[in-house]
Amino acid sequence: MGRKQSYTESELLDLTKRLVLEHGYDGFHLKLLSQHLPGARSTIYQYYANKEEIVAACMKRVITSVIEKASAIDESDTMQALQVLLGIYVEESKLHQLLGDAHKINTTNSAAASRDLDVVEQAHATLKVQLTRLFQRAQQDKNLREDIPLPVLIGGFFNLINTPNMINIPTPEWSKLLFQMWMGGAQQ
Amino acid sequence: MGRKQSYTESELLDLTKRLVLEHGYDGFHLKLLSQHLPGARSTIYQYYANKEEIVAACMKRVITSVIEKASAIDESDTMQALQVLLGIYVEESKLHQLLGDAHKINTTNSAAASRDLDVVEQAHATLKVQLTRLFQRAQQDKNLREDIPLPVLIGGFFNLINTPNMINIPTPEWSKLLFQMWMGGAQQ
DNA sequence: TATATATTCGACACATGTGTCAAATTAATA
DNA sequence: TATTAATTTGACACATGTGTCGAATATATA
């Protein structure tokens, strides 16, 4: 019994992601959120206590889905695994930008937000461990040039995800192109 | 005669740049700005009429300085010119992020902001022309691989500027490393 | 149809940011 | 030192966002 909810928590978090990416953490607020949802602003407080909790929950949700995909990768072929991993990152290319605002969230007034951000940090570390493991293997297998420091190669790899897809090809082929460029270089 | 100004327009714009990068365009406001300046918030209105004009003037100032450096490049050696250009972009690596907020500025209430943003757009186009010219030459000179579309190579080059300098080496050497990686690739 | 209850709604008190203006302050010069 | 003018200041009216709460609404079930 009782009344039907006019939107789900999932819809709320999806919308939050879009709006935080569009306006930045500081530019995001609950009135803005409510203007893109059916119903009154005060209804949002049925789902979360404040902006901090909403954004923290949103970040946790996004990074958790990436962790799930990344941990399912077959790592038996190192370079193949790196290419697949890049594909996952490119698919969620806004992840980095979104998480960049995590430090702005004031957690002093919300235990829930604090807990969610701990999960985010944990997940971030897990992804870093995987990336480091793959790169160390690639180096041991003599797959990487040695005249450029490993952190630079890793930074360059990771930064690929931000490359705007100007020629607008589907994500899988796009990530393959980026990987090729990163591996072989631009020079003929 | 009269009283001395307590800060210069330059100081105001430098601070604006820092704060817009830190908080995003939406998170930036005049009270925040005044809290990082000596004196009262209302003093700011002696310099500019509102937030829109301040940020537009700030963007114009930054991109103008980049244009000056970029137009002084000796383009006789194409690949050398590209490396120097990358150095300039890396030096002002926040430029891209800063200008990304340009479309958010509401120019309907300020002719001054509108004029400044026109200059920004013009400068942006000028930089793009130079980059395209250099890349077309590099391609004609058979300096670039042909199995990857030119826009992808350009996008990859331009995206290098966002690579975080984790090993914290001085900018000139850093940009050289990035250029090497972009040219030769990560693979041995 | 009547009842129980989950959900929504809108108004209220509060907090923060904006733009203006007359009065106060400061510094050069007569 | 007195005058003049550029600059600063703080208060005011207004605008926008926040979190809460009692009343109103909708829906499953008896």
Side-chain angles (χ1 to χ4, degrees):
Chain A
M1 48 187 70
R3 198 167 158 171
K4 273 183 190 161
Q5 288 191 142
S6 46
Y7 47 85
T8 66
E9 198 170 312
S10 254
E11 287 169 331
L12 190 155
L13 293 182
D14 282 343
L15 181 59
T16 297
K17 179 182 171 187
R18 185 164 79 77
L19 292 175
V20 171
L21 285 172
E22 195 172 328
H23 299 270
Y25 178 71
D26 291 292
F28 173 81
H29 51 84
L30 297 204
K31 194 178 183 187
L32 180 70
L33 185 58
S34 80
Q35 285 164 346
H36 293 260
L37 283 171
R41 176 180 56 87
S42 54
T43 301
I44 297 174
Y45 292 91
Q46 290 288 330
Y47 296 76
Y48 295 96
N50 48 46
K51 153 174 165 170
E52 285 73 27
E53 295 198 3
I54 296 180
V55 180
C58 173
M59 289 181 174
K60 174 184 162 186
R61 186 159 173 272
V62 172
I63 204 170
T64 298
S65 107
V66 171
I67 279 278
E68 275 170 21
K69 290 186 219 161
S71 64
I73 290 182
D74 170 14
E75 295 188 4
S76 55
D77 179 338
T78 306
M79 298 314 276
Q80 171 68 19
L82 275 177
Q83 184 176 330
V84 175
L85 188 60
L86 180 65
I88 292 169
Y89 286 162
V90 168
E91 191 83 53
E92 273 293 352
S93 63
K94 305 294 185 197
L95 174 77
H96 199 228
Q97 191 188 336
L98 185 69
L99 298 185
D101 286 339
H103 71 278
K104 289 183 179 173
I105 300 180
N106 177 0
T107 56
T108 53
N109 293 319
S110 168
S114 186
R115 265 182 281 116
D116 282 352
L117 285 185
D118 282 347
V119 173
V120 169
E121 209 169 315
Q122 177 69 41
H124 214 264
T126 301
L127 290 176
K128 195 175 176 182
V129 164
Q130 179 185 40
L131 199 60
T132 306
R133 178 176 61 237
L134 288 170
F135 267 91
Q136 279 175 344
R137 268 201 228 141
Q139 197 177 38
Q140 280 162 10
D141 299 348
K142 301 286 176 195
N143 269 316
L144 299 177
R145 62 195 284 187
E146 285 164 336
D147 60 330
I148 292 182
L150 192 60
V152 179
L153 295 179
I154 298 180
F157 175 86
F158 200 76
N159 194 240
L160 289 173
I161 67 176
N162 298 314
T163 316
N165 182 351
M166 353 254 275
I167 58 178
N168 247 45
I169 56 174
T171 311
E173 285 113 68
W174 173 245
S175 68
K176 257 177 224 167
L177 265 181
L178 290 177
F179 192 74
Q180 275 174 35
M181 179 169 65
W182 175 77
M183 286 276 282
Q187 201 165 30
Q188 190 149 41
Chain B
M1 48 187 70
R3 195 166 161 173
K4 273 182 189 163
Q5 290 192 142
S6 46
Y7 47 85
T8 66
E9 198 169 313
S10 254
E11 288 169 328
L12 192 155
L13 293 182
D14 282 343
L15 181 59
T16 297
K17 179 181 171 188
R18 185 164 78 76
L19 292 175
V20 171
L21 285 172
E22 196 172 326
H23 298 271
Y25 177 72
D26 291 292
F28 173 82
H29 50 85
L30 297 204
K31 194 178 182 188
L32 180 70
L33 186 58
S34 79
Q35 284 163 347
H36 293 260
L37 283 171
R41 175 179 58 88
S42 54
T43 302
I44 297 174
Y45 293 91
Q46 290 289 330
Y47 295 77
Y48 295 96
N50 48 45
K51 153 174 166 171
E52 286 73 28
E53 295 198 3
I54 296 180
V55 179
C58 173
M59 289 182 175
K60 175 184 163 185
R61 186 160 173 272
V62 172
I63 203 168
T64 300
S65 108
V66 170
I67 280 278
E68 276 170 20
K69 291 186 219 161
S71 64
I73 290 182
D74 170 15
E75 296 188 4
S76 56
D77 178 339
T78 306
M79 297 315 276
Q80 171 68 20
L82 275 178
Q83 184 175 331
V84 174
L85 188 60
L86 180 64
I88 291 168
Y89 285 163
V90 168
E91 191 83 54
E92 275 292 352
S93 63
K94 303 295 184 199
L95 174 76
H96 198 227
Q97 191 189 335
L98 186 69
L99 299 185
D101 286 338
H103 71 278
K104 290 183 179 172
I105 300 180
N106 178 358
T107 55
T108 52
N109 293 320
S110 168
S114 186
R115 266 182 281 112
D116 282 351
L117 285 185
D118 282 348
V119 174
V120 168
E121 208 168 319
Q122 177 69 42
H124 214 263
T126 302
L127 289 176
K128 195 175 176 181
V129 164
Q130 178 184 41
L131 199 60
T132 306
R133 178 175 61 237
L134 287 171
F135 266 91
Q136 278 175 343
R137 269 203 226 136
Q139 196 177 39
Q140 279 162 10
D141 299 347
K142 302 286 175 193
N143 269 317
L144 299 177
R145 61 194 285 187
E146 285 164 337
D147 58 332
I148 293 182
L150 192 60
V152 179
L153 295 179
I154 298 180
F157 175 86
F158 200 77
N159 193 239
L160 288 173
I161 67 177
N162 297 314
T163 317
N165 182 349
M166 353 256 272
I167 58 178
N168 248 44
I169 56 174
T171 310
E173 286 113 67
W174 172 244
S175 69
K176 256 176 225 169
L177 264 182
L178 289 178
F179 192 73
Q180 274 175 36
M181 179 169 66
W182 175 77
M183 286 277 282
Q187 200 164 33
Q188 192 150 39

